[in-house]
Structures are given as C-alpha cells and as structure tokens.
Amino acid sequence: GKGSYIDKDVSIGDFSYVNQNSSLENCVVGKYCSISSGVYVNPYEHDNHLFTTHPVVRNGVSDGSRPKVLIGNDVLISLNVIILSGVTVGDGAVIGAGAVVTSDVAPYEIVGGVPSKHIRWRFDEVTRQMLQRIQWWNWSREQVLKNLSFLKRETDVILEDNLVCLQAAARKAGKPF
C-alpha cells in the first residue's frame, strides 16, 4: 500500500498483501497473509545495555544481522502491530490491533496486547491439526477457487461437520487427508 516500505531482505508469498504506511524489514511472509496499515515488522531496536543507545556503536554492523521474523501462511496482522526481531508467527494466526509481539505465536493462535499475550485459539485442536495437514495455501489457484465454499465456512460449525468438510476439500484438491 501507499507509504509502505518493504526492505530488500524481505520475501512475501503469493497473494499476501501489505496495506498503507507499514514497514517490513528482514522477514519472510508466507502466502495469503493480510498485513494491515501501520504495521512494523523487525524494526531496528536500540541496545539499552550499553553506555549509549545510539546506533553509532554498531559501526559496520548491518541491520541484516538481526534475526529474521518468520510469518507463516494465512496470517492476519491487524492495524498498528509491531513484531520484534526473531519472532515466528505460525500459520493461521491472528494478531490483534496495537499488539507488540515479543515472542512466538503458535499456529491458529489469537494474540493481542502490549506485550502480546494469548487470547484464544481460532479453532479446536483437531481442526488446527487438520488445517496444518492439508495446507490449503499450497493448493493451486484453481484448487483454492474450487474450494471457496470450504474456505468461507464459519469457525463455530459443529466439529464433525468441519471434519467432513476438511476431508472433502482435501480430496477435491488432491491432497492426502
């Protein structure tokens, strides 16, 4: 989006997007991710353990020496989020608006706050495992479009109904279930 900065050491997967006024540095973003406005991924952090916090002490050390941020697939990063160096965000995770993410986020976990904390899981454990197994984000575009009815399902559907739908979607996409 307009006013966003994407550093040269960033890779962004298919169909992912970054909205306005965001900055991504030294990170890998998976497929089908939605990154909102005002998001900062792996911004420079000043070292407060030294006599000075000024970056002059980093003489010759590039920002690329910071550990990468790894963002999985189908991740939603809401408005004004900051994700600090070395964090891994799992597939299907949701990060609430204004969060400061200082530690890893598990697949399909919803986090929020400063620093971010677990709020809840998007799905029950069985559904999370099955979604990780079928990895719909690796399907061809045609397979994704054929399975839109599956992808549009509400998350509060009865577990057995979700299992049947997951199995059908996996078969349709030619994936083992």
Side-chain angles (χ1 to χ4, degrees):
K2 182 180 177 185
S4 286
Y5 171 75
I6 310 296
D7 200 30
K8 65 183 182 312
D9 56 2
V10 171
S11 70
I12 299 178
D14 296 338
F15 308 107
S16 290
Y17 66 90
V18 179
N19 217 324
Q20 298 180 50
N21 302 314
S22 293
S23 174
L24 278 65
E25 300 177 45
N26 196 27
C27 66
V28 175
V29 178
K31 300 174 184 176
Y32 293 94
C33 291
S34 302
I35 300 176
S36 192
S37 298
V39 171
Y40 288 83
V41 177
N42 210 353
Y44 182 83
E45 297 174 54
H46 296 266
D47 191 342
N48 63 2
H49 296 95
L50 306 176
F51 288 136
T52 180
T53 59
H54 194 280
V56 68
V57 296
R58 298 217 182 239
N59 188 20
V61 178
S62 73
D63 287 350
S65 65
R66 293 175 285 158
K68 273 194 182 303
V69 168
L70 304 175
I71 299 170
N73 303 285
D74 189 31
V75 171
L76 170 59
I77 302 174
S78 302
L79 189 69
N80 298 324
V81 166
I82 299 171
I83 302 176
L84 297 182
S85 178
V87 167
T88 296
V89 179
D91 296 325
V94 173
I95 302 173
V100 176
V101 183
T102 60
S103 59
D104 292 352
V105 180
Y108 297 98
E109 183 177 18
I110 299 173
V111 300
V114 179
S116 66
K117 302 253 185 272
H118 175 83
I119 295 173
R120 67 179 173 87
W121 297 105
R122 287 185 59 200
F123 309 108
D124 61 82
E125 173 122 10
V126 172
T127 303
R128 291 193 311 262
Q129 288 175 2
M130 292 200 186
L131 285 167
Q132 289 278 211
R133 193 167 34 230
I134 67 170
Q135 298 181 356
W136 70 265
W137 46 83
N138 286 327
W139 296 350
S140 69
R141 181 153 172 75
E142 295 75 31
Q143 290 169 322
V144 168
L145 294 174
K146 282 183 198 174
N147 285 281
L148 286 180
S149 61
F150 162 70
L151 294 171
K152 289 182 192 179
R153 290 182 67 81
E154 296 287 329
T155 60
D156 59 356
V157 176
I158 301 169
L159 177 61
E160 294 80 27
D161 192 28
N162 268 338
L163 293 176
V164 169
C165 190
L166 283 165
Q167 289 169 332
R171 275 194 306 277
K172 224 173 174 181
K175 291 280 186 183
F177 187 72

